[in-house]
């Protein structure tokens, strides 16, 4: 019998698991494992809990800038995460930093 592979898990199962992870993993780890995991992280159900408190952690912000680009616009990243939730978000935690009036208005309108 062939050994099962993580990337072959049903997408509904992956979404259920990924929806329980912290934002740092959803942004910086899971999408890069394989194509099926990347596709699963695009499902709005993974983004029901929007906890932006991790943006207070300078290590997280440094990791984002190292993984993507030093000039990464955090406001743009926050907006893209909110957009990914596609109005499925059921909880929202905001950081003490990184939130301009423009970003807060965007979140309120989404």
């Amino acid at each position: 019998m062939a050994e099962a592979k993580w990337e072959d898990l049903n997408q509904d199962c992956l979404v259920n698991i990924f929806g329980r992870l912290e934002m740092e993993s959803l942004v910086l780890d899971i999408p890069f494992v394989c194509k099926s995991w990347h596709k699963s992280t695009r499902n709005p159900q993974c983004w029901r809990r929007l906890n932006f408190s991790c943006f207070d952690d300078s290590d997280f912000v440094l990791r984002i800038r190292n993984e993507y680009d030093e000039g990464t616009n955090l406001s743009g990243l926050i907006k893209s995460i909110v957009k990914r939730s596609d109005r499925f978000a059921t909880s929202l935690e905001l950081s003490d930093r990184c939130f301009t009036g423009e970003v807060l208005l965007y979140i309120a309108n989404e």
Side-chain angles (χ1 to χ4, degrees):
M1 185 165 144
E3 188 174 309
K5 298 179 182 175
W6 281 101
E7 63 266 19
D8 293 335
L9 270 176
N10 176 292
Q11 186 173 5
D12 290 336
C13 292
L14 290 171
V15 168
N16 187 314
I17 294 166
F18 297 161
R20 299 167 194 266
L21 299 176
E22 298 297 323
M23 186 176 294
E24 182 173 359
S25 294
L26 281 172
V27 172
L28 296 171
D29 299 318
I30 301 302
F32 303 104
V33 172
C34 63
K35 288 180 183 179
S36 69
W37 286 28
H38 178 267
K39 182 179 177 184
S40 295
T41 63
R42 305 299 291 182
N43 186 309
Q45 294 289 335
C46 288
W47 303 93
R48 294 182 73 173
R49 292 180 307 117
L50 299 179
N51 182 351
F52 291 105
S53 62
C54 57
F55 281 70
D56 285 335
D57 180 2
S58 59
D59 289 337
F60 175 69
V61 172
L62 284 173
R63 189 166 172 219
I64 287 173
R65 292 201 164 131
N66 287 336
E67 293 286 330
Y68 292 100
D69 182 5
E70 284 188 26
T72 297
N73 178 337
L74 293 180
S75 294
L77 178 61
I78 292 165
K79 287 179 181 179
S80 97
I81 290 168
V82 170
K83 186 174 178 83
R84 277 187 196 177
S85 75
D86 197 26
R87 299 182 182 238
F88 277 89
T90 57
S91 74
L92 175 66
E93 275 188 60
L94 300 176
S95 164
D96 290 337
R97 326 182 310 184
C98 305
F99 286 92
T100 63
E102 175 193 351
V103 171
L104 291 173
L105 187 59
Y106 181 84
I107 292 170
N109 288 329
E110 283 295 312

